[in-house]
Amino acid sequence: MAALETFYIAVSDESDDIAAVFFVDSRYLPVSRWGRVLLAARGVMFDEGTHKSGGAFEQCLIVDDIRFVRSALISKHVRAAAAKFNLDLMRKRQSAYKPSHCRQLAAAALALFAELPSGHSDAKW
């Protein structure tokens, strides 16, 4: 069974910068210029890197500063795109976890995450 990273945190060799990388379903991300600007304001940048087995709709998102990861995860678009991509991968491949991964469980977990207190007042984007 092959593994596919859908989220990881990396430290650059050239500096002390810590970045987070998400692989998500591009169909759930904003397509308008303004929507992408709002994601960029949260520290989310679009990248070309994808996995061979990620499928046609895989999109790589990079958060260059680890301090913006929470802000990125508050975005309903990023959460929905990550949930869709991860659930599709989990359900597509043979896994002992396949029966316990469903959209309703992911939606409930994401709703609880959105309710956690944070320093951000806008949980729409």
Side-chain angles (χ1 to χ4, degrees):
M1 179 171 74
L4 175 69
E5 299 92 4
T6 57
F7 173 78
Y8 64 89
I9 296 175
V11 179
S12 171
D13 288 336
E14 294 84 35
S15 68
D16 291 335
D17 294 338
I18 303 173
V21 180
F22 302 85
F23 293 94
V24 301
D25 189 322
S26 62
R27 296 173 292 182
Y28 288 76
L29 297 172
V31 293
S32 71
R33 215 176 270 175
W34 182 244
R36 292 194 177 216
V37 165
L38 291 173
L39 282 179
R42 289 187 175 274
V44 178
M45 304 305 288
F46 289 73
D47 191 63
E48 298 298 319
T50 59
H51 297 91
K52 191 180 226 181
S53 60
F57 302 108
E58 180 183 22
Q59 175 66 56
C60 177
L61 301 177
I62 297 178
V63 179
D64 285 336
D65 189 332
I66 196 72
R67 292 174 289 188
F68 291 111
V69 169
R70 183 172 180 77
S71 180
L73 289 174
I74 288 175
S75 164
K76 68 180 180 181
H77 298 290
V78 171
R79 287 183 291 134
K84 174 77 167 100
F85 184 71
N86 284 289
L87 285 171
D88 284 352
L89 283 176
M90 182 61 69
R91 297 189 62 77
K92 180 168 84 172
R93 298 182 178 168
Q94 292 301 319
S95 168
Y97 302 109
K98 187 174 180 176
S100 66
H101 285 71
C102 65
R103 300 210 187 285
Q104 295 84 359
L105 180 61
L110 291 173
L112 286 173
F113 178 83
E115 294 173 5
L116 291 176
S118 73
H120 305 282
S121 60
D122 179 22
K124 294 179 188 173
W125 282 98

